[in-house]
Amino acid sequence: MTEYRLAKPVELETLKAFLFHHGANPWNYLPQEGVDSEFLLVASGQASALVAYNEKQPVGLGIFYHPQALPNHYLQFSRGRSAIYIAEVVVHQDYSGRGIGTSLLKNIIQRAPTFSADILLVDRHAENAGSAGMMKKAGFKELSTFVDLDRREVGNRSTTVLVYDLS
């Protein structure tokens, strides 16, 4: 049985290694500096790390920024509404295809009212079919697709931003 809970501060370094090990692929943009910044936000309480555990082993990780930490480049997509930004959703390679990613997203959605959020935002490489399916199953709707040469090095080099409206 998979258990979902927020990460404890003592787990953050292990979870960072998990993210790099299981999240590294041509679709994902995981610069060391950016990941370090995300984990600093988690450590300072401006973001949260949600972990899926199976028999005390991490099998999934979701990192979401609280509304006050919404990155500036996502303000245009929030349209003035209080928004949570889901920065990472990664599943252990041996557990992919079991619904863990979708469950992480749904669990973050359930937690969103605690942070007074109106919407949730997430993005993916426009051609990442696996992420597209996971996000669709969780109820996210496509909002915008744009060429993103700074973050995307493969395929059409585009990012798709999706939204989940809590209202």
Side-chain angles (χ1 to χ4, degrees):
M1 179 168 182
T2 304
E3 171 197 358
Y4 296 84
R5 66 168 175 77
L6 294 177
K8 299 173 185 170
V10 298
E11 299 171 301
L12 295 182
E13 284 303 314
T14 300
L15 293 173
K16 188 187 297 186
F18 177 91
L19 174 61
F20 280 120
H21 183 75
H22 295 286
N25 66 55
W27 302 115
N28 289 346
Y29 180 69
L30 293 174
Q32 182 74 47
E33 184 178 315
V35 172
D36 288 344
S37 293
E38 285 180 358
F39 277 85
L40 284 174
L41 286 174
V42 173
S44 71
Q46 296 178 71
S48 295
L50 179 67
V51 189
Y53 281 96
N54 190 339
E55 298 182 16
K56 299 184 182 181
Q57 174 187 345
V59 296
L61 171 65
I63 296 177
F64 60 98
Y65 293 28
H66 305 166
Q68 71 275 15
L70 182 69
N72 287 337
H73 54 281
Y74 286 92
L75 290 172
Q76 65 182 314
F77 302 112
S78 71
R79 298 182 180 140
R81 299 176 76 195
S82 178
I84 284 176
Y85 170 62
I86 302 171
E88 311 292 347
V89 177
V90 175
V91 175
H92 189 293
Q93 294 159 355
D94 295 341
Y95 288 79
S96 66
R98 298 185 190 184
I100 293 170
T102 301
S103 293
L104 283 165
L105 288 171
K106 288 180 177 180
N107 195 299
I108 294 168
I109 291 166
Q110 290 174 341
R111 294 171 185 271
T114 304
F115 300 98
S116 300
D118 300 317
I119 61 173
L120 294 94
L121 298 168
V122 66
D123 66 21
R124 62 174 170 77
H125 189 293
E127 296 176 307
N128 186 338
S131 287
M134 170 186 69
M135 292 169 186
K136 183 177 180 178
K137 286 178 190 173
F140 283 83
K141 307 288 183 211
E142 289 188 15
L143 190 60
S144 177
T145 299
F146 57 93
V147 174
D148 194 355
L149 301 178
D150 292 333
R151 293 179 55 211
R152 307 299 180 192
E153 297 180 359
V154 299
N156 66 11
R157 298 186 71 183
S158 295
T159 291
T160 296
V161 177
L162 300 95
V163 64
Y164 186 98
D165 194 327
L166 292 166
S167 58

